[in-house]
Amino acid sequence: MSGVQPCNTVQGIEKLVSELKMPKTDLQGLDKGELSTVTLSWEKMKDKNWFQDTDIFRCTAQQSEVDFLVHSVIHHSSRPTLENVISILLINQEPLVSMMFKRKDDWPFPEYLGSCGRLAIFEYIGPSIAAHYSSSWPLRAYFAVQLLQLAKRFSKPDKTGLVIYPTDWTAHNFAVDEENRVYLVDLEGIILVNQSIIREKKAPGWDTYYTADRFGCTNCFSFSTADLCTHAESDHNYHGVCGGLLAPQPYSPGLAGGLLHSVPRNILARHPLLPRLLDECWKSSKPGGREEAADLIIEILRSELVDLDLQNLT
């Protein structure tokens, strides 16, 4: 067709960066010798629906969150440019999550190594938790402890005020390395919530503990993005790990009986409340009930793992 100009993606991204780029003058990173002099303007980004639709900016995004993202990314060993940041935001957020929450800071995510076009390269962690379905019960109990601790860590704000809400709690999204450490390896469906902003705004209902109610879906994991975005506390992650992985009838396929299936009789004799706690961690509707059950499950499982060589369990 005459008059139609071909689309030049490179020029389009460069033009977008020139519109969004702005100077940055704070001292973030000074202690590590990683000062940043540029960032992207959230005021301009939020006028473009493409960015507001990404999971990491879906909730309570502010300039400080954009600054944290840009600072983390441009100081990553793969040395992305602002053009790379924009491109990744528009295509797949997984590399950004890995660069924001780094392995060296003890986050349970795979290390991002770099990209070529739409291909993103991450380190290989190991087989999924689903591959350990027939492993010994102590090893599976060790995985369960780590998963519950992961849910707890994700639910508490880090130094930036951000809380991490994964939205796909299936066994194939978690992998285990050679030392039996558990990692979340699918970073695509992660919602970031700035709870500091929620506490500052104090909108109606902000301090009501949000309990995931499954929205009438008895055999699947469901959630409300709007509720996650407007409450300072939620049991979303506990519902995800218990309902998706640990429950006797988990949402996750390939885990019949749950990750803790076939509990040894001697352990049930010592801890007769364990089945009920697993059920409460999955189904409780009491504010804070899932978290309370998770803490007690961790305590029970830890007591059974004392004196075991956890890194060499099979």
Side-chain angles (χ1 to χ4, degrees), residues 129-149:
I129 280 186
H132 286 277
Y133 180 78
S134 299
S135 295
S136 68
W137 194 86
L139 179 57
R140 290 183 280 116
Y142 182 42
F143 294 158
V145 169
Q146 292 182 71
L147 287 165
L148 290 166
Q149 291 173 327

Side-chain angles (χ1 to χ4, degrees), residues 61-284:
Q62 296 286 319
Q63 184 61 50
S64 59
E65 187 175 334
V66 179
D67 290 347
F68 171 56
L69 182 153
V70 174
H71 177 83
S72 300
V73 170
I74 64 177
H75 288 290
H76 187 265
S77 58
S78 62
R79 298 300 180 190
T81 64
L82 289 179
E83 286 78 11
N84 296 141
V85 174
I86 293 295
S87 299
I88 295 171
L89 267 174
L90 295 175
I91 297 172
N92 178 8
Q93 71 175 26
E94 291 186 88
L96 299 178
V97 173
S98 178
M99 287 186 277
M100 292 168 73
F101 304 98
K102 299 178 177 65
R103 278 279 304 278
K104 69 178 184 179
D105 296 325
D106 202 32
W107 286 100
F109 303 134
E111 183 71 28
Y112 169 70
L113 302 177
S115 295
C116 181
R118 289 176 175 261
L119 178 65
I121 310 298
F122 294 84
E123 70 172 320
Y124 175 71
I125 296 297
S128 74
I129 280 186
H132 286 277
Y133 180 78
S134 299
S135 295
S136 68
W137 194 86
L139 179 57
R140 290 183 280 116
Y142 182 42
F143 294 158
V145 169
Q146 292 182 71
L147 287 165
L148 290 166
Q149 291 173 327
L150 181 150
K152 180 180 289 290
R153 181 177 185 184
F154 286 177
S155 301
K156 303 299 181 184
D158 72 343
K159 61 184 178 182
T160 66
L162 296 175
V163 166
I164 299 172
Y165 290 130
T167 60
D168 190 357
W169 290 83
T170 55
H172 292 288
N173 289 340
F174 294 86
V176 180
D177 71 8
E178 294 179 347
E179 297 182 348
N180 290 331
R181 292 173 299 194
V182 174
Y183 295 79
L184 175 59
V185 294
D186 186 343
L187 309 182
E188 185 175 3
I190 284 182
I191 294 175
L192 297 182
V193 177
N194 193 326
Q195 290 194 346
S196 297
I197 302 301
I198 294 176
R199 296 175 189 278
E200 288 176 12
K201 289 184 174 180
K202 291 183 169 58
W206 72 274
D207 56 349
T208 301
Y209 192 102
Y210 171 56
T211 301
D213 59 11
R214 296 183 288 165
F215 302 95
C217 181
T218 57
N219 294 308
C220 64
F221 180 69
S222 57
F223 60 93
S224 165
T225 301
D227 284 321
L228 294 178
C229 291
T230 53
H231 290 79
E233 291 185 282
S234 170
D235 64 3
H236 170 92
N237 288 334
Y238 297 102
H239 178 213
V241 68
C242 291
L245 299 166
L246 305 186
Q249 296 175 316
Y251 309 137
S252 179
L255 280 181
L259 183 62
L260 292 174
H261 68 86
S262 309
V263 184
R265 291 183 180 180
N266 61 325
I267 291 177
L268 281 177
R270 286 193 293 270
H271 308 287
L273 291 180
L274 180 58
R276 194 185 82 182
L277 290 172
L278 288 170
D279 204 50
E280 289 181 3
C281 189
W282 174 27
K283 298 179 179 178
S284 178

